[in-house]
Amino acid sequence: MKQPQIGIIDIGSNTIRLCTYALPDRSEAAPVKTFTEKKSVGLSAYVRDGIMTERGIKAAAKAIANQMQHARLMGCQDIRLFATAALRNCRNSAEATHTLAERVGARIDILSARQEAEFGFMGIKAELDATDGMAVDIGGGSTELTYVKDGNVVRCCSISAGSLSLWNAHVAGIIPNADELAACTRAFLRALDESGFEIPRVPRLFGTGGTIRNAARVIAFRAEGTDAATFTAAQLDDLLSYATEEPGSYARAILAVEPARIHSLTPGTAILRAVFERSGARSIAVSKSGVREGYLHNLLATRTA
């Protein structure tokens, strides 16, 4: 008998991604990812004066409708949608979410900042030995930081600065120059200080999300290796120097790895470098699992409770 499939659509600030999973027969077994696709919508770029515009809702609805159709073709009878910073933080959040949900014919869960951080850590913990350190998820519109000790969440915070929002606010072209990169760093640190979250000193970081995964891929591409499972603060410094000193070559490296990230990767990398510096961590372990897997884990746990 074919295993039941569930579809999860993650409405992010930068991309909208569908993942489908085969659900196990036994409660202790983990779901298996069977399909994934993403659409680079750049939803946070459609926010004007704090308002999610009609153009943004229309762009999101089109991408979601296509992904829901693909999920059904994969055999998913249950399709769940959730959204993060772009819809959560806009001033017309309730209205925009309601309108979007009506157009796609499905409920949309708006994750709170704490839920986004905790679900991201759940996904990381399922893949990595994330016992002591800090989990980092740099999204398009926010950055989630989760301090963990002995495998448990001590505290977490969502910082209202992400890779795409910093690019929109501080970069005139595509690849930021040194001054623009410094402005991105200052803006993130200002948002961090305003949040009141004090980054602890930790031995290492655990990373998830497109910015960190693709930074690892560009680092590996330069070294003519496979995707990096870990990288160091020194390697990140080298990547940022590459961006400002050889922007043409750097841009070609991103285009070879993930063209959709050519504008947002560098501001996101600046965020990660600031986190490295504040935490004193020496390296970061990169997880392929994150908030979607954490959301699914929580959903299944709720069903069986």
Side-chain angles (χ1 to χ4, degrees), residues 48 67 79 81 100-101 110 120 159 166 174 181 212 262 268 297:
R48 295 287 183 269
Q67 291 185 348
I79 305 172
L81 290 69
L100 182 57
I110 300 295
I159 313 300
L166 290 184
I174 302 299
L181 199 58
I212 292 173
I262 191 166
H297 174 85

Side-chain angles (χ1 to χ4, degrees), residues 15-191:
T15 62
I16 297 177
R17 183 185 290 268
L18 162 70
C19 291
T20 65
Y21 301 85
L23 299 180
D25 296 327
R26 295 172 290 107
S27 60
E28 67 271 16
V32 177
K33 188 183 295 182
T34 54
F35 176 75
T36 183
E37 72 170 4
K38 69 177 179 180
K39 176 69 174 177
S40 295
V41 174
L43 196 55
S44 67
Y46 290 99
V47 176
R48 295 287 183 269
D49 298 321
I51 299 295
M52 178 59 67
T53 62
E54 168 63 22
R55 287 183 64 200
I57 294 171
K58 184 180 293 187
K62 181 178 179 181
I64 293 166
N66 286 336
Q67 291 185 348
M68 291 181 71
Q69 182 180 19
H70 297 165
R72 294 188 187 102
L73 290 173
M74 289 295 298
C76 297
Q77 294 184 341
D78 190 1
I79 305 172
R80 300 298 180 108
L81 290 69
F82 72 84
T84 52
L87 278 176
R88 179 177 67 230
N89 295 337
C90 61
R91 290 196 287 123
N92 61 333
S93 175
E95 179 185 351
T97 303
H98 177 75
T99 300
L100 182 57
E102 278 198 330
R103 291 188 187 177
V104 300
R107 171 182 166 176
I108 299 173
D109 292 331
I110 300 295
L111 300 191
S112 69
R114 183 173 183 86
Q115 284 176 318
E116 186 176 359
E118 290 185 341
F119 290 168
F121 176 63
M122 283 183 192
I124 291 172
K125 192 175 179 181
E127 182 180 332
L128 302 177
D129 180 20
T131 304
D132 296 294
M134 190 165 63
V136 185
D137 184 355
I138 301 168
S142 65
T143 297
E144 277 58 55
L145 303 175
T146 307
Y147 173 42
V148 295
K149 183 73 174 175
D150 298 325
N152 298 309
V153 174
V154 177
R155 62 181 186 271
C156 59
C157 186
S158 179
I159 313 300
S160 59
S163 60
L164 189 57
S165 62
L166 290 184
W167 179 80
N168 281 326
H170 301 287
V171 183
I174 302 299
I175 304 296
N177 59 34
D179 289 341
E180 291 169 332
L181 199 58
C184 289
T185 300
R186 288 194 299 271
F188 169 73
L189 290 175
R190 184 164 56 249

Side-chain angles (χ1 to χ4, degrees), residues 23 28 41-42 57 85 87 91 116 121 151 156 162 188 192 196 204 206 222 238 245 252 265 271 291 295:
L23 299 180
E28 67 271 16
V41 174
I57 294 171
L87 278 176
R91 290 196 287 123
E116 186 176 359
F121 176 63
C156 59
F188 169 73
L192 173 64
R204 61 175 179 160
F206 312 105
R222 291 191 69 204
D238 181 63
E245 294 171 9
R252 286 190 289 274
L265 180 64
I271 291 174
V291 66
Y295 176 87

